Amino acid sequence: MKLLSKTKILYNKYSRLLPWASLIWGIGSSFLLTRDYSKATRLGIFTCAFFILIILMSTWYSYINSISSQNRLNKLHLGLHKKKELFEFIGLTATQYFIQYIFMFCIPFLYFKEEWIWLFFLVFFVGMTLWDPFWVRLFKIQFFRLLLRLIASCLVFGFLYAVLFPTYLDFYYVFFSIICFIAIFPWNSFVINRKIKVSEMSASFILTLIIACHPFIPSDYQFPVISIWIENSKFSFNKPGKETFKIIKGNIISRNELMLNLSNGKKLCAITPVVAPLGVFSVVYQEWYVDNKFLESIVLPKISGSEILEKYNTFSCKKYFMKLENAKKLTIKTYLKNGIYVGTQSLIISD
């Protein structure tokens, strides 16, 4: 107990500096993290620790509230009451550290995949965890804690599934939904054997509806497999490996140059370097669009993932296009055979 007392004294003395220290540490650690497939085990351990802590903290709030309403408190209850602020600080700080690690580790992969909508949402969300006073207030809200669990589950599952279970990618979204439902389940109500509150039921119900609707949105907008992405995609009028192979700089081409090459019998090739973890073995197909109007789906050779982030230069080529006279861009969307979205590349047509 002496150690706890000393810790509390130090906390009260330097508590004003802690938010700034946490902010600097959170931002700095995002640049210092090493992110690759070999860190999957560490990410998994941190995630388990986060879920244990967040359930314990939710249980702690419920327990403290329940004993506070009792008229007769024993010595243990009184002792816990006296150390309430200290226990909350330790629990909140540990939970904050683990959730920041999970977010900071996973979010850059959304940048690699150019998932701008998800990236914006998650960067905004992680920003709310960086300022301690704001974090403490938010964490006491049931809906926020459930949302934390759900987002952390999506991020970690999106990265770990292809790394740990590469041969079962066909079932990715089935297990994704199961994991999400488990994440938002009110486990603390069963731990302390109490009735589920209306606010807790409402929060779970809202998030359950979101999860239930997720499989019905277009695959381009579903939460992605963030450990598989396209890197440095490019276009050419020759297949890779040929002596005349030359990429189109900046993925921008003039309309005259494009029409001239196609009229001379050349094919336009979309080169798609796919990065995937070890064990991934899947057919890839690409959908071609002119100004978002679907043209054709082309099946490509199988890719086989590598632990060294090897890029597989899969590509597809087309010779005949319709209505390019006023087109602004050509878009190619890449998918695995089971419909899992990998990424998009575009060739801009300038006048």
Side-chain angles (χ1 to χ4, degrees), residues 59-254:
T59 305
W60 166 258
Y61 285 130
S62 300
Y63 180 69
I64 285 295
N65 290 332
S66 65
I67 66 173
S68 297
S69 61
Q70 298 175 12
N71 295 324
R72 296 180 180 179
L73 301 178
N74 57 34
K75 291 183 178 180
L76 176 61
H77 292 161
L78 290 171
L80 289 173
H81 242 353
K82 290 179 180 179
K83 307 299 179 183
K84 177 184 175 182
E85 293 183 1
L86 179 60
F87 283 126
E88 284 187 355
F89 167 72
I90 294 173
L92 286 170
T93 302
T95 307
Q96 183 184 26
Y97 170 71
F98 287 126
I99 195 65
Q100 284 179 355
Y101 179 88
I102 293 168
F103 280 20
M104 297 301 186
F105 183 94
C106 294
I107 282 179
F109 292 100
L110 294 172
Y111 175 80
F112 300 155
K113 288 184 69 72
E114 299 182 0
E115 293 279 357
W116 306 125
I117 296 175
W118 286 108
L119 180 63
F120 175 80
F121 170 74
L122 291 169
V123 168
F124 173 79
F125 196 82
V126 76
M128 293 190 290
T129 71
L130 293 175
W131 184 245
D132 287 2
F134 193 46
W135 161 260
V136 172
R137 290 183 181 181
L138 286 174
F139 195 83
K140 293 181 180 180
I141 302 172
Q142 175 67 28
F143 184 78
F144 180 77
R145 294 199 300 270
L146 283 177
L147 192 58
L148 266 182
R149 280 152 54 174
L150 180 60
I151 295 175
S153 300
C154 292
L155 284 171
V156 174
F157 188 82
F159 180 82
L160 289 183
Y161 188 83
V163 178
L164 301 179
F165 309 104
T167 57
Y168 298 99
L169 273 177
D170 289 347
F171 306 101
Y172 171 78
Y173 282 114
V174 175
F175 287 108
F176 178 85
S177 298
I178 293 172
I179 292 296
C180 287
F181 282 124
I182 292 174
I184 64 173
F185 191 81
W187 295 104
N188 60 306
S189 298
F190 288 84
V191 173
I192 61 175
N193 193 24
R194 66 166 175 81
K195 292 183 179 180
I196 302 177
K197 295 180 180 179
V198 175
S199 60
E200 194 172 4
M201 289 181 62
S202 301
S204 296
F205 179 73
I206 293 171
L207 294 178
T208 299
L209 285 179
I210 294 174
I211 297 168
C213 293
H214 180 265
F216 299 99
I217 64 177
S219 58
D220 303 12
Y221 299 100
Q222 292 180 354
F223 198 87
V225 181
I226 63 176
S227 50
I228 302 176
W229 69 90
I230 294 172
E231 190 171 287
N232 297 325
S233 59
K234 45 192 173 289
F235 292 86
S236 174
F237 286 105
N238 295 286
K239 295 180 180 180
K242 287 191 173 184
E243 293 182 0
T244 54
F245 175 74
K246 184 179 179 181
I247 65 170
I248 299 173
K249 293 183 179 180
N251 291 344
I252 300 175
I253 190 171
S254 66

Side-chain angles (χ1 to χ4, degrees), residues 211-328:
I211 297 168
C213 293
H214 180 265
F216 299 99
I217 64 177
S219 58
D220 303 12
Y221 299 100
Q222 292 180 354
F223 198 87
V225 181
I226 63 176
S227 50
I228 302 176
W229 69 90
I230 294 172
E231 190 171 287
N232 297 325
S233 59
K234 45 192 173 289
F235 292 86
S236 174
F237 286 105
N238 295 286
K239 295 180 180 180
K242 287 191 173 184
E243 293 182 0
T244 54
F245 175 74
K246 184 179 179 181
I247 65 170
I248 299 173
K249 293 183 179 180
N251 291 344
I252 300 175
I253 190 171
S254 66
R255 193 179 308 279
N256 290 337
E257 184 181 355
L258 175 62
M259 301 300 290
L260 179 62
N261 278 280
L262 293 176
S263 62
N264 288 337
K266 292 185 178 181
K267 293 182 178 181
L268 178 64
C269 297
I271 295 91
T272 310
V274 178
V275 180
L278 181 66
V280 171
F281 190 69
S282 174
V283 169
V284 175
Y285 68 92
Q286 291 186 328
E287 294 181 350
W288 286 68
Y289 296 81
V290 175
D291 287 339
N292 299 321
K293 294 181 180 179
F294 176 75
L295 290 181
E296 184 181 3
S297 179
I298 302 175
V299 179
L300 310 181
K302 293 182 179 180
I303 62 166
S304 178
S306 169
E307 62 183 357
I308 58 173
L309 297 183
E310 183 179 352
K311 292 181 282 291
Y312 297 88
N313 289 318
T314 53
F315 64 91
S316 62
C317 301
K318 272 188 67 62
K319 184 176 181 180
Y320 301 105
F321 295 86
M322 296 178 62
K323 300 180 179 179
L324 283 180
E325 292 78 11
N326 298 312
K328 299 297 182 182

Side-chain angles (χ1 to χ4, degrees), residues 49-62 188 191:
F50 163 71
F51 273 99
I52 291 171
L53 275 169
I54 199 169
I55 291 173
L56 286 176
M57 286 303 297
S58 296
T59 305
W60 166 258
Y61 285 130
S62 300
N188 60 306
V191 173

